[in-house]
Each structure stands twice: as structure tokens, then as C-alpha cells.
Amino acid sequence: MTTESSTDDATPAGRAGRRARSRWYVLSYPLAWLVAIFMVPLGLLVVFSFWVNIPGGQYEMGLTLENYRRFLGSSLYMGQLWVTIELSLVTAGVSLLLGYPLAYFLARIDSSRLRSVLLVTIVSSLWVTYVIRAYAWQVILASGGIASSVGVALGLIPEPQSFFPGYWALVVGMVYVFLPFMILTLYSSLRNIDGELLEASKNLGAGPVRTFRKVTLPLSKNGIASGTALVFILALGAYVMPRLLGGTAQRTLPVLIEQQIMSESNYPFGAAMSFGLIVVVLAFLWVLLRVTNVTTGDLGGTDAIDGESTGRYAGSAGGLLERLGALLRRGFAATGLPAVIAAFGRTLGRPIAAVDANRREAILGAAFRTYVAAVMVFVTAPLAIIVAISVTPEQFLTFPPGGVSAQWYVEFFTNPAWTGALANSLFIAVAAALLATSIGGILAFAIDRFEYPFGRALATVGVLPILIPPVIIGVAFLVFFLQFGLAGSRLSIVVAHGIFYAPFPFILITQGLREIDRTFEEAAMNLGAGPVRTIRTITYPLLRTNVISGALFAFILSLNEYIIAWLLSLFLVDTIPIQIFNQLRYSYPPTIAAASTVFIALTVVVMTAIDRLSGGIWE
């Protein structure tokens, strides 16, 4: 039988030389995008941050630290920076508490049909633009809304009141927006835990709680780290939710940056503030990587920490953290809280232990399912409100609707402005997803399969684009593409989105590569298959879920993205998010809800089709 290996140089020296050359050939493609095209616009912003601003929207070349001095010396900007960090930490923590049980349920449920339905629902919530999701929560939290009505009915508040704008309204909105990212990241990690380990724990006499504490939780700790880091970083760059659900005190740094660039045309100061935010992100990642002993490329969530990594941090930094941890533990013990918690646990444990084991397991199972159902209601309720609003006969967005009408769907499908925006959105999202997957996938493969003298730096480059606030990405690419006459084109948006969202396929495919059993590939190679055939017949099928998930992440995010597309469009390219913002300048027409409902329906159809064609993408 003729195989691809028949053309190989059979000598060991020839194979070694070709492998040495191949690693650079493979790496050249993602580096061309992430270094040559992504770094250059960022470099322009670095230069801008030292330029001199001239009131009136002008600036001139120079070398001044005034922009950084103004940012770091202002209590206003430092206070809003802390608000941004605090909101991001709270959002990540709440998302973890809500998302872990649901992800665990999805990973362990026996019914593949129910799992697919729930996952498609969760992914569908990502499809709706941030503006519509913020508006849905405005409806829920407004005076006379669902939350207020329930509070009055239960006697919790004396009269109807609005719960927004405000701190907790913003937290609820941000958790709602970023919770799906936490769930999908944790699900991917929990799903890959070997079921035989859980079965062995059960056979050795461990109950469900002990199995979770001793087996499941330790094996999913990198998934927890990945999901927490992902949500924290995304929340740091949030712009729409703080604008629509937050008050004046919750103006986050991205909002202030956008105001400086778009309203004040103060590019130098906006660039300086952006790098202040980037420093926060990098500091968070540094602490995360030190504490968890994972690498940047591991943020997708592998289940084991290799000994090399453990040893690498066993030095001065690791010792410092251990001493810091011991100090915190002693301080915590000094408060007396551990004794109180232990007493509470013993008090709670006695009646639980007195219950029959089967009945106790049934009660815990029922409580767990109730909790999961409540989280799913939290995920789906705003979507239901959007669908309900889309059929209102009124001229404005109202809930509950005063009747049923299809006039806004007719408006959406017959108005050239909406259909043109829809075509542009789909084209840009598909092209950007393909570009992002090719960049992230090839970079992940190169780092996993070849040795590079700067491998850890490459992993950092792989996730670097999402560390930058989107508004800065938009401004940087705008400056860059203006030099080539490409600004105001769909191509410029595709390139910007493709690079900006490449980290999502990179993270997921990196995780998949780490979890592949290499013996299958080695067996194929020993049987005569060449590298390309091994990748096509062995590696890709094993990575299929990760590749498709990464592409879908990029597709969905590109479809919903507003700021980068708006800056690069120069009013010449309309997408659905841009069209929605244009509509919201004058009113809240229900066509927005109709457009969102169409997007939700498209998501369900596409996800179901992919699930069926791939033989169960979630399996």
C-alpha cells in the first residue's frame, strides 16, 4: 500500500532536519498575524501615549509623561480603576458559584438529548447582542418590572422601585453576559475527567460528596482557573453593560477610555489609560499563574500539573507564596471563624447523617437539580422576554406586550438596511471565525508538538489579543488600516475580529491537544501514516469538539461585537450591532427584538445541525 510516508527522507538525519525546519514553517503563519499585523498597531498606540495632546482634538509628536502622570495622579481615575477591578472580581466569583454546578450537571447527565438542549440554550444566550441583553435586564429591574412586582408581592419592599442603574444591577447584568463563558469552559474540563476514576471512588465506598471533594474538584481545578481568568479578563473590558446598567459611580475604565477617544479625541491620554488597564490584566495573570502553577497556554484547563512546573515555582516565588498563604491561614484562624464553621458543619452533619443513605442521596439530588433549574431560568428568562417583546403591536419596546403582531419581523426581513446589515454580520463572522481558528489552532499545535526556545512567550502571544480592551483594538487597527486605505471595509473588520478572537480557539485547542492520548498517533505513524495523514485521520477527529467549539466562540463573539466594527466601519459598513445602536439613538423600536429573536432561532438551527452532523459535538 502506498502511503504518504513513501516520499519521506528515510534517514534519521533527514527526518531530524526536516522536523527542525517544519517547526518554523508551522509557526510562521500565526506569527505573521499576531506579530506583524497585531503588534504594529499596538506599537503605534504606545507611541501615541507619549504624544502631546492639543485641546480641540489635535495632537502632536513628542515625548511626554504627562498623560501617565495625569492618570496615575488622579483620584478619580484611580477610583474608577478599582471599581473596574472590583466589579470584574465579583463577576468572576459569582459566575463560578453559579456556573460550576450547572457545568457539572451537564458533564454527568446521562441524557445526551437533554444535554444538547441545555447547551444550545446556553450558547444561544451568547448570540444576543449586549445591548438587547442589557435592555432585557432593564425591563426586569425597572420600577414596575418583574423584580419589583415580586418584591412587593412578597412584602420585601413596600412599593415598586427601580433596581437600576446601580452596582448590583450591573453585577447581575455582567454575570448574565459572562456566565456562559464560565459554564462552557468548566464543562469542557469536567467532561474530560475519566469516568473510571469516579467509578473507582464509588466502588471504594466514597459517597457523592466525598468523591466530588477528593476526585472531581482537584481534577477540575485548572478548568476553574481558566474560567475565572477568562471571565475576569472579559469583565475588565466590558463597555456596554456599565453604560446601560451602571450608574455614574460605576463608570468603568473602558467607558472612560472610550469617552476620551471618541468624545474628547484625546488619543494620547486614552492610550495611556489603556496601558494602565493592560498592566492590571498582566498583574492578575502573573498572580494566577504563580498560585495555580499553570502556564498561559494551560488556561484552557488541563487536569494535571506536571512536575516540571511544580518544581519551577518551588523557588523564591513559590516560597514567598507559601509563607504568604501560611500567614493568611494563621490570620484566618485567629478570627475564630474556622471553629465556628466547624461547629456549624458538625451541627448540620448530625441530622444529615441520621437520614438513610439512599434518602439522603435523593434529597441532595433533588436540591442539586432545583439549583440547576434556577440557574437555567436565570439564563433563559431574558431571552423569553426578548421573544415576547418582538411580537408586540406597540411602536416601542414594552413588556408585557399588549398583543401579538408579526409586523416587526416583516420590517426586519424587508427593510434593506436590516437585511444588508444581516448579510454583512454573517459574512464577517464566518470569515473571522475561520481566520481566528486557523491562527489559534496552528499556534496551539506548534507549541504542543515542537520545542521552541521561547515557548512560554509564544503561549502568552496566543492569548494576548483578548487582554487588550476592544476599544483600544479598534482604535489601533483604525490607525493601522488608514495607512493602507483599508479602513471602512469588511476586510478590515474581518482581520481585526479574526486576530482579536483567535485566543478562544487557541485556548480550547491547546486544552484538547494536552488531553490527547499520543499512543494513537504513534501507532498510526508506526503503521506508515505520514504527518498529514495522521493529523487528518487521528489528531483532528480527537480534537473535533475543541476545534468546532473554538470556531463557534469566535463566530458568536464576532457577530455580537460592536465597538471594533463601529470604529473600523467609518459609517460605510453596517452590521446588526451597529444598526441596533443607530436605531437606539432615536428610539427603541421592537425591530431590535425581532432581529435578536431571528439570531436566537438561527443559533438553535445551526447548533442542532452541527450536533447532528458531527455525531454529537458535545459528547
Side-chain angles (χ1 to χ4, degrees):
M1 180 178 68
T2 302
T3 67
E4 295 169 14
S5 63
S6 62
T7 60
D8 292 351
D9 187 344
T11 65
R15 290 178 179 175
R18 191 178 60 182
R19 180 176 177 82
R21 293 190 299 272
S22 297
R23 63 174 183 165
W24 297 111
Y25 294 152
V26 173
L27 190 61
S28 61
Y29 174 78
L31 284 190
W33 289 101
L34 294 173
V35 176
I37 297 181
F38 177 64
M39 294 295 186
V40 171
L42 287 180
L44 290 176
L45 274 187
V46 174
V47 174
F48 270 40
S49 70
F50 293 101
W51 283 19
V52 179
N53 181 62
I54 301 175
Q58 302 295 319
Y59 46 85
E60 63 181 11
M61 295 179 61
L63 185 60
T64 177
L65 295 176
E66 178 58 31
N67 299 310
Y68 290 99
R69 190 178 298 114
R70 178 187 173 189
F71 174 53
L72 297 175
S74 168
S75 59
L76 169 65
Y77 293 117
M78 286 294 99
Q80 296 312 108
L81 174 61
W82 171 247
V83 168
T84 305
I85 296 171
E86 179 185 317
L87 281 168
S88 301
L89 288 173
V90 172
T91 299
V94 175
S95 298
L96 178 61
L97 292 176
L98 292 179
Y100 195 100
L102 181 54
Y104 181 85
F105 177 80
L106 292 169
R108 296 302 164 206
I109 188 174
D110 293 329
S111 172
S112 60
R113 181 180 295 275
L114 178 58
R115 176 168 46 245
S116 294
V117 170
L118 295 177
L119 283 169
V120 167
T121 302
I122 293 169
V123 173
S124 298
S125 69
L126 289 170
W127 194 278
V128 184
T129 65
Y130 290 173
V131 181
I132 283 295
R133 281 186 276 177
Y135 176 76
W137 279 105
Q138 287 181 346
V139 172
I140 294 173
L141 300 174
S143 176
I146 297 174
S148 180
S149 300
V150 171
V152 172
L154 296 177
L156 300 177
I157 54 177
E159 58 185 16
Q161 67 178 66
S162 176
F163 294 100
F164 89 94
Y167 183 90
W168 290 108
L170 177 55
V171 169
V172 170
M174 291 181 67
V175 168
Y176 178 72
V177 167
F178 299 118
L179 179 60
F181 294 99
M182 178 70 77
I183 293 172
L184 295 178
T185 304
L186 288 171
Y187 167 77
S188 182
S189 177
L190 290 166
R191 185 66 177 163
N192 288 314
I193 292 177
D194 190 347
E196 292 184 356
L197 296 175
L198 305 180
E199 191 66 26
S201 176
K202 183 178 180 180
N203 292 337
L204 291 172
V209 175
R210 190 172 187 183
T211 298
F212 172 79
R213 186 163 53 87
K214 295 292 185 180
V215 180
T216 306
L217 191 59
L219 290 178
S220 61
K221 61 184 180 182
N222 279 15
I224 294 174
S226 302
T228 303
L230 184 61
V231 171
F232 177 80
I233 292 170
L234 290 173
L236 273 180
Y239 169 79
V240 173
M241 286 292 167
R243 283 297 298 267
L244 298 181
L245 291 177
T248 305
Q250 290 83 44
R251 287 286 185 263
T252 58
L253 208 57
V255 174
L256 299 179
I257 292 171
E258 189 271 346
Q259 289 176 344
Q260 287 296 323
I261 292 177
M262 301 306 297
S263 301
E264 305 295 333
S265 297
N266 192 341
Y267 284 71
F269 186 50
M273 293 172 68
S274 302
F275 279 97
L277 192 58
I278 292 171
V279 169
V280 174
V281 173
L282 294 179
F284 169 78
L285 285 177
W286 183 85
V287 173
L288 176 75
L289 300 182
R290 290 292 183 180
V291 171
T292 60
N293 281 352
V294 298
T295 66
T296 311
D298 290 331
L299 287 178
T302 53
D303 296 329
I305 306 299
D306 58 76
E308 182 183 353
S309 298
T310 304
R312 186 169 58 244
Y313 298 115
S316 58
L320 176 62
L321 288 172
E322 288 177 1
R323 291 192 293 274
L324 179 60
L327 180 62
L328 291 175
R329 285 193 294 272
R330 286 196 295 272
F332 183 62
T335 64
L337 285 178
V340 174
I341 294 174
F344 178 77
R346 289 192 296 271
T347 303
L348 184 65
R350 280 194 289 270
I352 293 178
V355 179
D356 176 73
N358 293 331
R359 187 177 180 184
R360 183 169 64 240
E361 188 168 339
I363 293 174
L364 289 175
F368 182 67
R369 287 190 292 273
T370 302
Y371 180 85
V372 170
V375 176
M376 285 305 300
V377 169
F378 174 75
V379 172
T380 57
L383 299 181
I385 291 173
I386 292 170
V387 174
I389 291 175
S390 70
V391 298
T392 182
E394 284 90 358
Q395 297 297 312
F396 301 97
L397 291 170
T398 56
F399 185 84
V404 178
S405 173
Q407 61 174 311
W408 304 114
Y409 289 93
V410 175
E411 169 74 11
F412 176 74
F413 284 111
T414 58
N415 188 321
W418 282 105
T419 54
L422 177 61
N424 285 335
S425 292
L426 292 175
F427 173 82
I428 291 171
V430 170
L434 293 174
L435 178 60
T437 306
S438 66
I439 295 172
I442 293 176
L443 180 62
F445 182 83
I447 294 175
D448 185 76
R449 299 306 166 91
F450 299 104
E451 293 290 336
Y452 295 100
F454 40 84
R456 296 188 65 184
L458 288 176
T460 302
V461 170
V463 299
L464 185 61
I466 59 171
L467 306 183
I468 313 298
V471 64
I472 300 307
I473 294 289
V475 174
F477 274 110
L478 176 62
V479 173
F480 178 74
F481 284 124
L482 280 174
Q483 311 305 316
F484 301 95
L486 294 176
S489 67
R490 295 193 301 183
L491 176 62
S492 64
I493 302 175
V494 167
V495 172
H497 281 187
I499 293 176
F500 186 57
Y501 294 124
F504 292 93
F506 171 74
I507 290 172
L508 291 172
I509 294 172
T510 295
Q511 176 185 343
L513 285 166
R514 295 292 177 86
E515 295 167 349
I516 283 181
D517 188 346
R518 298 291 294 273
T519 57
F520 293 111
E521 295 176 322
E522 293 170 1
M525 299 287 283
N526 291 335
L527 290 173
V532 175
R533 189 173 183 182
T534 300
I535 292 173
R536 180 168 54 83
T537 59
I538 303 296
T539 309
Y540 175 73
L542 293 174
L543 280 176
R544 183 182 58 187
T545 299
N546 300 74
V547 173
I548 295 177
S549 297
L552 288 175
F553 261 124
F555 176 80
I556 291 171
L557 290 167
S558 172
L559 199 72
N560 283 285
E561 202 283 326
Y562 167 72
I563 295 179
I564 295 175
W566 175 64
L567 289 169
L568 292 175
S569 69
L570 293 182
F571 305 101
L572 297 175
V573 179
D574 262 354
T575 63
I576 289 294
I578 293 175
Q579 182 68 8
I580 289 175
F581 261 84
N582 290 339
Q583 295 281 331
L584 290 178
R585 289 179 180 179
Y586 309 103
S587 62
Y588 279 74
T591 315
I592 297 172
S596 299
T597 303
V598 170
F599 271 36
I600 295 171
L602 280 174
T603 304
V604 174
V605 171
V606 172
M607 296 298 294
T608 303
I610 292 175
D611 188 60
R612 296 289 177 85
L613 291 174
S614 63
I617 184 176
W618 308 113
E619 296 301 321

